[in-house]
Amino acid sequence: MSLGLYLHIPYCFSKCRYCDFYSAPGQRGVPRAYVDALLRELSRFAPDAPLRPDTLYFGGGTPSLLDPADAARLIAAAQPLPGAEVTLEANPETVTEDSLRAFREAGVNRISFGVQSARDSQLKTLGRPHTAKQARAAFAAARRAGFENISGDIMLALPHYTQAEFDETLELIEDGGAAHISAYLLKIEPDSAFGRTPPEGLPTSDEAADFYLYAVEQLEHHGYRQYEISNFARPGYEGKHNLIYWDCGDYLGIGPAAHSCMGGKRFYYPADTEAFLRDEAAPVMDGGCGAEDYLILQLRLRKGLSLDEYKKRYGREFSTAQLAFVKNCVKSGYANFDGTPSPHASRAHRTKQHPCRAAVSLSEQQSSSPPAQNTDDAGNTAHPLHRVIPVGGLTAVHFQPVTEIPEQQREPDIQHKEHHQRPIGSRNATLPRVSRRPPTATL
C-alpha cells in the first residue's frame, strides 16, 4: 500500500478572506525552530529507518515561505522513494526563479500555484496578496527553473462572477504551462472574514452549479481530463498524493492541525503552533477509517467504485436495497453500473428532489465519522454520493452530476477539520511507528 507524507507549513503573509484553514498570518518566513519540530516528529514516527514515502506534500499556509535549504533538510530526512512525487504549494508573490530553482534542487518536483483568478479586482476582493502579472511571472519562472509538473488553482462562483472571468483564468494557467488544474467553488466558511462579512454579488446555488459545469466542459475541451470532483489533469499528471487519500491508502500528516490515517487509525495534531514548537501537542486519536470511508472517497473519482475491490478489501457486498438504489440512479440517468451506459445528466436533472437523495441522506445518518483531510487536491469531507462523479469503466458504480456541487477552497491535497478530541495517553503506545522499506509500510 502506498504511503503519503503531508508536512503542514502554517505560516503566511496574511489570511485570505475566504480561508478558514489553520494558519499563522503575519509571517515573512518559516522559523528554523518549526522545521526542527517537524524533523523531531518525523524521527518519532520512523525511529529505526527513514519513512520513504511514495509522495511528499508541503501544504499550508504558504509553504513557499520555507527556505529551500530547510525544504532540503525535510526531504532528506523523509527520503522519498525514487520517482516519488514531491509537491510544494506556492503563492505567486513569494517565489523567484532563483528560489524555485533552489526548491527544484532540494528535491521538489511538483509546484502548485494558488492563482484563483486572473482579475486583479477579484484577487483584491478575496484578499489575495498577488496580482495576475505576478501569477504569470511565477509560471514562467517555474518553467525556467526546470519544473514540468505544474498545477494551478482556480476558484469558481466568486462575487460578480462570469464565464469570461473563468476563461481568462484558464488562459493564464494554461499559457503558464500547467499540467494539472484544481477548480473549486467558493464556500463561505463561518470562521472566515467572508463568513463574518459576506461579500456582495455572490451567485445563487443554481448559478454556481452552471459555472461548475461550464468549467468542467471547458477544462475537458482544453485537454484537462477530470479525474476527481474538482481536479483535472493532462494525461499522466494526476495528483498522486491526493489519490492516496481517495484510494484510502496510508497517509501521515505532521504539523498543527494535520490529519493522518495509518493502518486504519485516524489521528491529528491539535491546531496550536506554539504547543507544537514546545513539543506539547501530542497527536489525538480520532477513530478509524474503513469500508464506508472507502466507498465515499472512491465515488469522488471518475473511475468510480469497483464492487470487486470493495469486497476484496473489506469483505462487504451491496445489499439488495443498496443495489436497488443504484439501479434507480441508473434508470434516472445519474449513474452507470457495471458498464451500463446512461445518458449524460441534463441540467433539468438538477432538481431539489432528486430520486436518489433520500437513500443518500439515510447513508449519511448511518455513517461513522467521515474521513478527515489535510490541505491539497483532496477537497472537502462531505459525503459525495449526491455530488459530481463522472461516469466510466466496468464493474463499478459512477454517479453523474446532480443537485449540489462540491464547495471547496484550495487544492488542498487535504482540509483541516476539527473533530472530537480524545487525548491519547502515550505518544508511542497508541500511534503507529513506521518502519518503511519499499514498497510497503509495516505498522
Side-chain angles (χ1 to χ4, degrees):
M1 182 177 287
S2 298
L3 173 64
L5 173 62
Y6 174 87
L7 299 179
H8 187 58
I9 310 298
Y11 303 97
C12 58
F13 284 169
S14 59
K15 196 108 171 166
C16 299
R17 291 175 185 155
Y18 56 83
C19 181
D20 76 333
F21 296 162
Y22 180 74
S23 61
Q27 303 294 322
R28 293 285 168 176
V30 178
R32 183 63 56 85
Y34 185 79
V35 177
D36 291 340
L38 291 175
L39 291 168
R40 177 195 72 218
E41 295 302 296
L42 269 173
S43 67
R44 280 181 168 150
F45 280 100
D48 303 321
L51 198 62
R52 309 223 70 194
D54 298 88
T55 65
L56 194 164
Y57 194 95
F58 291 95
T62 307
S64 49
L65 293 179
L66 268 172
D67 186 313
D70 286 330
R73 292 173 63 206
L74 292 164
I75 294 170
Q79 287 192 26
L81 292 174
E85 176 189 89
V86 181
T87 302
L88 180 87
E89 285 184 348
N91 281 4
E93 79 283 359
T94 65
V95 297
T96 64
E97 182 178 344
D98 287 342
S99 69
L100 288 167
R101 184 170 286 109
F103 280 123
R104 188 82 176 89
E105 292 171 354
V108 176
N109 55 30
R110 183 175 183 265
I111 198 84
S112 178
F113 289 120
V115 178
Q116 318 312 357
S117 176
R119 294 189 175 179
D120 288 346
S121 58
Q122 188 72 267
L123 294 170
K124 186 175 181 180
T125 297
L126 296 174
R128 299 290 295 177
H130 71 273
T131 64
K133 181 178 179 180
Q134 287 175 313
R136 293 187 182 91
F139 277 103
R143 295 198 309 272
R144 293 194 300 270
F147 282 98
E148 296 180 0
N149 196 346
I150 305 173
S151 181
D153 290 354
I154 300 177
M155 294 186 74
L156 308 172
L158 299 170
H160 305 290
Y161 204 65
T162 63
Q163 290 181 353
E165 181 173 348
F166 172 82
D167 293 340
E168 293 167 19
T169 309
L170 174 57
E171 181 181 13
L172 186 159
I173 293 176
E174 183 178 24
D175 289 351
H180 182 282
I181 294 177
S182 296
Y184 305 112
L185 287 165
L186 173 66
K187 181 179 181 181
I188 304 299
E189 298 285 359
D191 293 333
S192 68
F194 276 172
R196 293 184 288 272
T197 308
E200 296 180 355
L202 288 173
T204 65
S205 296
D206 283 345
E207 289 169 342
D210 287 336
F211 284 131
Y212 175 83
L213 294 175
Y214 177 79
V216 171
E217 292 168 358
Q218 291 303 307
L219 286 161
E220 294 266 1
H221 179 71
H222 285 258
Y224 296 96
R225 184 176 184 272
Q226 185 179 34
Y227 68 98
E228 191 268 347
I229 291 174
S230 297
N231 286 277
F232 309 77
R234 306 278 193 205
Y237 286 93
E238 295 82 3
K240 295 178 181 178
H241 183 79
N242 287 335
L243 284 169
I244 291 176
Y245 299 148
W246 297 319
D247 286 332
C248 279
D250 286 340
Y251 58 90
L252 174 63
I254 296 181
H259 286 256
S260 304
C261 187
M262 299 286 290
K265 295 181 179 180
R266 192 180 293 124
F267 54 94
Y268 65 94
Y269 283 89
D272 188 333
T273 300
E274 291 304 314
F276 183 78
L277 288 169
R278 295 192 304 267
D279 197 11
E280 297 173 358
V284 179
M285 298 307 297
D286 195 31
C289 38
E292 187 162 282
D293 300 309
Y294 180 76
L295 185 152
I296 289 166
L297 292 172
Q298 287 290 283
L299 288 176
R300 294 184 67 96
L301 299 172
R302 184 176 190 132
K303 69 178 183 179
L305 169 70
S306 166
L307 299 186
D308 287 342
E309 184 64 22
Y310 183 59
K311 181 179 179 180
K312 179 180 176 182
R313 289 182 66 153
Y314 301 102
R316 294 175 63 170
E317 295 181 312
F318 274 27
S319 67
T320 301
Q322 288 172 319
L323 289 173
F325 160 66
V326 171
K327 290 176 181 177
N328 187 28
C329 290
V330 172
K331 187 177 180 180
S332 301
Y334 290 98
N336 276 1
F337 178 59
D338 199 18
T340 303
S342 66
H344 189 75
S346 68
R347 291 168 191 262
H349 284 163
R350 288 187 282 106
T351 62
K352 293 300 178 184
Q353 295 299 323
H354 172 249
C356 299
R357 279 304 290 274
V360 173
S361 298
L362 178 61
S363 173
E364 290 177 357
Q365 291 168 6
Q366 294 173 341
S367 169
S368 58
S369 58
Q373 300 190 334
N374 295 321
T375 309
D376 179 37
D377 313 320
N380 63 26
T381 59
H383 292 251
L385 285 169
H386 59 286
R387 298 185 183 271
V388 180
I389 308 294
V391 294
L394 298 175
T395 59
V397 181
H398 312 264
F399 284 86
Q400 295 272 30
V402 290
T403 34
E404 298 178 0
I405 305 300
E407 298 169 327
Q408 299 163 300
Q409 299 291 348
R410 282 297 308 268
E411 187 182 291
D413 302 39
I414 356 195
Q415 155 78 311
H416 302 280
K417 296 293 183 183
E418 291 297 328
H419 296 273
H420 299 295
Q421 299 194 3
R422 291 189 292 110
I424 62 174
S426 167
R427 187 187 300 264
N428 290 326
T430 310
L431 296 178
R433 290 158 58 97
V434 182
S435 176
R436 184 64 196 266
R437 293 175 177 80
T440 58
T442 301
L443 300 177

mmCIF file with all atom_site columns, all heavy atoms in Angstrom, residues 43 90 123 157 229 252 273 276 280 297 317 356 379 389 395 438:
data_model
loop_
_atom_site.group_PDB
_atom_site.id
_atom_site.type_symbol
_atom_site.label_atom_id
_atom_site.label_alt_id
_atom_site.label_comp_id
_atom_site.label_asym_id
_atom_site.label_entity_id
_atom_site.label_seq_id
_atom_site.pdbx_PDB_ins_code
_atom_site.Cartn_x
_atom_site.Cartn_y
_atom_site.Cartn_z
_atom_site.occupancy
_atom_site.B_iso_or_equiv
_atom_site.pdbx_formal_charge
_atom_site.auth_seq_id
_atom_site.auth_comp_id
_atom_site.auth_asym_id
_atom_site.auth_atom_id
_atom_site.pdbx_PDB_model_num
ATOM 1   N N   . SER A 1 43  ? 11.165  11.825  13.127  1.00 0.00 ? 43  SER A N   1
ATOM 2   C CA  . SER A 1 43  ? 12.009  10.799  13.748  1.00 0.00 ? 43  SER A CA  1
ATOM 3   C C   . SER A 1 43  ? 11.206  9.949   14.733  1.00 0.00 ? 43  SER A C   1
ATOM 4   O O   . SER A 1 43  ? 11.499  8.773   14.930  1.00 0.00 ? 43  SER A O   1
ATOM 5   C CB  . SER A 1 43  ? 13.194  11.449  14.463  1.00 0.00 ? 43  SER A CB  1
ATOM 6   O OG  . SER A 1 43  ? 12.772  12.215  15.581  1.00 0.00 ? 43  SER A OG  1
ATOM 7   N N   . ALA A 1 90  ? 2.617   27.012  -3.473  1.00 0.00 ? 90  ALA A N   1
ATOM 8   C CA  . ALA A 1 90  ? 3.313   28.292  -3.552  1.00 0.00 ? 90  ALA A CA  1
ATOM 9   C C   . ALA A 1 90  ? 2.348   29.412  -3.907  1.00 0.00 ? 90  ALA A C   1
ATOM 10  O O   . ALA A 1 90  ? 1.447   29.228  -4.733  1.00 0.00 ? 90  ALA A O   1
ATOM 11  C CB  . ALA A 1 90  ? 4.430   28.224  -4.592  1.00 0.00 ? 90  ALA A CB  1
ATOM 12  N N   . LEU A 1 123 ? -8.978  39.386  -7.120  1.00 0.00 ? 123 LEU A N   1
ATOM 13  C CA  . LEU A 1 123 ? -7.934  38.990  -6.167  1.00 0.00 ? 123 LEU A CA  1
ATOM 14  C C   . LEU A 1 123 ? -7.949  39.900  -4.943  1.00 0.00 ? 123 LEU A C   1
ATOM 15  O O   . LEU A 1 123 ? -7.776  39.440  -3.808  1.00 0.00 ? 123 LEU A O   1
ATOM 16  C CB  . LEU A 1 123 ? -6.561  39.006  -6.839  1.00 0.00 ? 123 LEU A CB  1
ATOM 17  C CG  . LEU A 1 123 ? -6.358  37.965  -7.945  1.00 0.00 ? 123 LEU A CG  1
ATOM 18  C CD1 . LEU A 1 123 ? -5.063  38.245  -8.702  1.00 0.00 ? 123 LEU A CD1 1
ATOM 19  C CD2 . LEU A 1 123 ? -6.328  36.556  -7.347  1.00 0.00 ? 123 LEU A CD2 1
ATOM 20  N N   . ALA A 1 157 ? -17.388 30.684  -9.113  1.00 0.00 ? 157 ALA A N   1
ATOM 21  C CA  . ALA A 1 157 ? -18.577 31.267  -8.484  1.00 0.00 ? 157 ALA A CA  1
ATOM 22  C C   . ALA A 1 157 ? -18.201 32.308  -7.431  1.00 0.00 ? 157 ALA A C   1
ATOM 23  O O   . ALA A 1 157 ? -18.760 32.359  -6.335  1.00 0.00 ? 157 ALA A O   1
ATOM 24  C CB  . ALA A 1 157 ? -19.468 30.181  -7.885  1.00 0.00 ? 157 ALA A CB  1
ATOM 25  N N   . ILE A 1 229 ? -13.743 15.075  -8.442  1.00 0.00 ? 229 ILE A N   1
ATOM 26  C CA  . ILE A 1 229 ? -14.763 16.119  -8.441  1.00 0.00 ? 229 ILE A CA  1
ATOM 27  C C   . ILE A 1 229 ? -14.214 17.477  -8.899  1.00 0.00 ? 229 ILE A C   1
ATOM 28  O O   . ILE A 1 229 ? -14.790 18.137  -9.748  1.00 0.00 ? 229 ILE A O   1
ATOM 29  C CB  . ILE A 1 229 ? -15.373 16.271  -7.037  1.00 0.00 ? 229 ILE A CB  1
ATOM 30  C CG1 . ILE A 1 229 ? -16.210 15.043  -6.689  1.00 0.00 ? 229 ILE A CG1 1
ATOM 31  C CG2 . ILE A 1 229 ? -16.261 17.513  -6.960  1.00 0.00 ? 229 ILE A CG2 1
ATOM 32  C CD1 . ILE A 1 229 ? -16.733 15.058  -5.267  1.00 0.00 ? 229 ILE A CD1 1
ATOM 33  N N   . LEU A 1 252 ? 0.406   10.128  6.425   1.00 0.00 ? 252 LEU A N   1
ATOM 34  C CA  . LEU A 1 252 ? 0.855   10.695  7.695   1.00 0.00 ? 252 LEU A CA  1
ATOM 35  C C   . LEU A 1 252 ? 0.948   12.206  7.546   1.00 0.00 ? 252 LEU A C   1
ATOM 36  O O   . LEU A 1 252 ? 1.678   12.707  6.677   1.00 0.00 ? 252 LEU A O   1
ATOM 37  C CB  . LEU A 1 252 ? 2.223   10.116  8.074   1.00 0.00 ? 252 LEU A CB  1
ATOM 38  C CG  . LEU A 1 252 ? 2.900   10.712  9.311   1.00 0.00 ? 252 LEU A CG  1
ATOM 39  C CD1 . LEU A 1 252 ? 2.058   10.457  10.561  1.00 0.00 ? 252 LEU A CD1 1
ATOM 40  C CD2 . LEU A 1 252 ? 4.313   10.135  9.481   1.00 0.00 ? 252 LEU A CD2 1
ATOM 41  N N   . THR A 1 273 ? 0.233   26.021  17.036  1.00 0.00 ? 273 THR A N   1
ATOM 42  C CA  . THR A 1 273 ? 1.623   26.053  16.585  1.00 0.00 ? 273 THR A CA  1
ATOM 43  C C   . THR A 1 273 ? 2.590   26.197  17.751  1.00 0.00 ? 273 THR A C   1
ATOM 44  O O   . THR A 1 273 ? 3.639   25.533  17.777  1.00 0.00 ? 273 THR A O   1
ATOM 45  C CB  . THR A 1 273 ? 1.834   27.210  15.586  1.00 0.00 ? 273 THR A CB  1
ATOM 46  O OG1 . THR A 1 273 ? 0.970   27.011  14.460  1.00 0.00 ? 273 THR A OG1 1
ATOM 47  C CG2 . THR A 1 273 ? 3.277   27.265  15.101  1.00 0.00 ? 273 THR A CG2 1
ATOM 48  N N   . PHE A 1 276 ? 3.006   22.972  19.450  1.00 0.00 ? 276 PHE A N   1
ATOM 49  C CA  . PHE A 1 276 ? 3.781   22.069  18.594  1.00 0.00 ? 276 PHE A CA  1
ATOM 50  C C   . PHE A 1 276 ? 5.276   22.374  18.704  1.00 0.00 ? 276 PHE A C   1
ATOM 51  O O   . PHE A 1 276 ? 6.100   21.465  18.799  1.00 0.00 ? 276 PHE A O   1
ATOM 52  C CB  . PHE A 1 276 ? 3.307   22.214  17.142  1.00 0.00 ? 276 PHE A CB  1
ATOM 53  C CG  . PHE A 1 276 ? 3.974   21.280  16.173  1.00 0.00 ? 276 PHE A CG  1
ATOM 54  C CD1 . PHE A 1 276 ? 3.587   19.949  16.095  1.00 0.00 ? 276 PHE A CD1 1
ATOM 55  C CD2 . PHE A 1 276 ? 4.985   21.727  15.339  1.00 0.00 ? 276 PHE A CD2 1
ATOM 56  C CE1 . PHE A 1 276 ? 4.211   19.076  15.197  1.00 0.00 ? 276 PHE A CE1 1
ATOM 57  C CE2 . PHE A 1 276 ? 5.608   20.872  14.447  1.00 0.00 ? 276 PHE A CE2 1
ATOM 58  C CZ  . PHE A 1 276 ? 5.211   19.543  14.375  1.00 0.00 ? 276 PHE A CZ  1
ATOM 59  N N   . GLU A 1 280 ? 4.478   20.036  23.016  1.00 0.00 ? 280 GLU A N   1
ATOM 60  C CA  . GLU A 1 280 ? 3.376   19.827  23.939  1.00 0.00 ? 280 GLU A CA  1
ATOM 61  C C   . GLU A 1 280 ? 2.068   19.556  23.192  1.00 0.00 ? 280 GLU A C   1
ATOM 62  O O   . GLU A 1 280 ? 0.981   19.747  23.742  1.00 0.00 ? 280 GLU A O   1
ATOM 63  C CB  . GLU A 1 280 ? 3.209   21.049  24.854  1.00 0.00 ? 280 GLU A CB  1
ATOM 64  C CG  . GLU A 1 280 ? 4.416   21.312  25.743  1.00 0.00 ? 280 GLU A CG  1
ATOM 65  C CD  . GLU A 1 280 ? 4.289   22.615  26.519  1.00 0.00 ? 280 GLU A CD  1
ATOM 66  O OE1 . GLU A 1 280 ? 3.273   23.328  26.323  1.00 0.00 ? 280 GLU A OE1 1
ATOM 67  O OE2 . GLU A 1 280 ? 5.206   22.925  27.315  1.00 0.00 ? 280 GLU A OE2 1
ATOM 68  N N   . LEU A 1 297 ? -15.047 7.916   -0.644  1.00 0.00 ? 297 LEU A N   1
ATOM 69  C CA  . LEU A 1 297 ? -13.938 8.557   -1.339  1.00 0.00 ? 297 LEU A CA  1
ATOM 70  C C   . LEU A 1 297 ? -13.783 8.054   -2.767  1.00 0.00 ? 297 LEU A C   1
ATOM 71  O O   . LEU A 1 297 ? -13.423 8.823   -3.673  1.00 0.00 ? 297 LEU A O   1
ATOM 72  C CB  . LEU A 1 297 ? -12.647 8.343   -0.550  1.00 0.00 ? 297 LEU A CB  1
ATOM 73  C CG  . LEU A 1 297 ? -12.594 9.083   0.790   1.00 0.00 ? 297 LEU A CG  1
ATOM 74  C CD1 . LEU A 1 297 ? -11.368 8.673   1.589   1.00 0.00 ? 297 LEU A CD1 1
ATOM 75  C CD2 . LEU A 1 297 ? -12.605 10.594  0.575   1.00 0.00 ? 297 LEU A CD2 1
ATOM 76  N N   . GLU A 1 317 ? -20.442 -6.638  0.538   1.00 0.00 ? 317 GLU A N   1
ATOM 77  C CA  . GLU A 1 317 ? -21.145 -6.522  -0.727  1.00 0.00 ? 317 GLU A CA  1
ATOM 78  C C   . GLU A 1 317 ? -22.344 -5.603  -0.549  1.00 0.00 ? 317 GLU A C   1
ATOM 79  O O   . GLU A 1 317 ? -22.841 -5.425  0.560   1.00 0.00 ? 317 GLU A O   1
ATOM 80  C CB  . GLU A 1 317 ? -21.616 -7.904  -1.204  1.00 0.00 ? 317 GLU A CB  1
ATOM 81  C CG  . GLU A 1 317 ? -20.471 -8.864  -1.530  1.00 0.00 ? 317 GLU A CG  1
ATOM 82  C CD  . GLU A 1 317 ? -20.992 -10.196 -2.023  1.00 0.00 ? 317 GLU A CD  1
ATOM 83  O OE1 . GLU A 1 317 ? -21.907 -10.740 -1.366  1.00 0.00 ? 317 GLU A OE1 1
ATOM 84  O OE2 . GLU A 1 317 ? -20.487 -10.690 -3.041  1.00 0.00 ? 317 GLU A OE2 1
ATOM 85  N N   . CYS A 1 356 ? -32.484 9.995   -5.836  1.00 0.00 ? 356 CYS A N   1
ATOM 86  C CA  . CYS A 1 356 ? -31.504 9.265   -5.020  1.00 0.00 ? 356 CYS A CA  1
ATOM 87  C C   . CYS A 1 356 ? -31.253 9.932   -3.672  1.00 0.00 ? 356 CYS A C   1
ATOM 88  O O   . CYS A 1 356 ? -30.568 9.370   -2.832  1.00 0.00 ? 356 CYS A O   1
ATOM 89  C CB  . CYS A 1 356 ? -30.168 9.175   -5.780  1.00 0.00 ? 356 CYS A CB  1
ATOM 90  S SG  . CYS A 1 356 ? -30.272 8.312   -7.350  1.00 0.00 ? 356 CYS A SG  1
ATOM 91  N N   . GLY A 1 379 ? -9.796  18.087  -1.316  1.00 0.00 ? 379 GLY A N   1
ATOM 92  C CA  . GLY A 1 379 ? -11.119 18.677  -1.232  1.00 0.00 ? 379 GLY A CA  1
ATOM 93  C C   . GLY A 1 379 ? -11.772 18.532  0.123   1.00 0.00 ? 379 GLY A C   1
ATOM 94  O O   . GLY A 1 379 ? -11.134 18.318  1.117   1.00 0.00 ? 379 GLY A O   1
ATOM 95  N N   . ILE A 1 389 ? -19.858 13.090  -9.816  1.00 0.00 ? 389 ILE A N   1
ATOM 96  C CA  . ILE A 1 389 ? -18.986 11.954  -10.061 1.00 0.00 ? 389 ILE A CA  1
ATOM 97  C C   . ILE A 1 389 ? -19.193 11.529  -11.505 1.00 0.00 ? 389 ILE A C   1
ATOM 98  O O   . ILE A 1 389 ? -20.219 10.967  -11.853 1.00 0.00 ? 389 ILE A O   1
ATOM 99  C CB  . ILE A 1 389 ? -19.306 10.767  -9.137  1.00 0.00 ? 389 ILE A CB  1
ATOM 100 C CG1 . ILE A 1 389 ? -19.332 11.214  -7.678  1.00 0.00 ? 389 ILE A CG1 1
ATOM 101 C CG2 . ILE A 1 389 ? -18.317 9.634   -9.340  1.00 0.00 ? 389 ILE A CG2 1
ATOM 102 C CD1 . ILE A 1 389 ? -18.005 11.668  -7.149  1.00 0.00 ? 389 ILE A CD1 1
ATOM 103 N N   . THR A 1 395 ? -17.736 -2.852  -13.941 1.00 0.00 ? 395 THR A N   1
ATOM 104 C CA  . THR A 1 395 ? -17.900 -3.391  -12.582 1.00 0.00 ? 395 THR A CA  1
ATOM 105 C C   . THR A 1 395 ? -17.677 -2.316  -11.534 1.00 0.00 ? 395 THR A C   1
ATOM 106 O O   . THR A 1 395 ? -16.931 -2.484  -10.594 1.00 0.00 ? 395 THR A O   1
ATOM 107 C CB  . THR A 1 395 ? -16.945 -4.580  -12.334 1.00 0.00 ? 395 THR A CB  1
ATOM 108 O OG1 . THR A 1 395 ? -15.598 -4.144  -12.510 1.00 0.00 ? 395 THR A OG1 1
ATOM 109 C CG2 . THR A 1 395 ? -17.259 -5.716  -13.265 1.00 0.00 ? 395 THR A CG2 1
ATOM 110 N N   . PRO A 1 438 ? 10.763  -0.165  1.054   1.00 0.00 ? 438 PRO A N   1
ATOM 111 C CA  . PRO A 1 438 ? 9.971   -0.270  -0.173  1.00 0.00 ? 438 PRO A CA  1
ATOM 112 C C   . PRO A 1 438 ? 9.552   -1.717  -0.424  1.00 0.00 ? 438 PRO A C   1
ATOM 113 O O   . PRO A 1 438 ? 10.332  -2.622  -0.143  1.00 0.00 ? 438 PRO A O   1
ATOM 114 C CB  . PRO A 1 438 ? 10.926  0.203   -1.259  1.00 0.00 ? 438 PRO A CB  1
ATOM 115 C CG  . PRO A 1 438 ? 12.148  0.692   -0.579  1.00 0.00 ? 438 PRO A CG  1
ATOM 116 C CD  . PRO A 1 438 ? 12.082  0.342   0.861   1.00 0.00 ? 438 PRO A CD  1
#
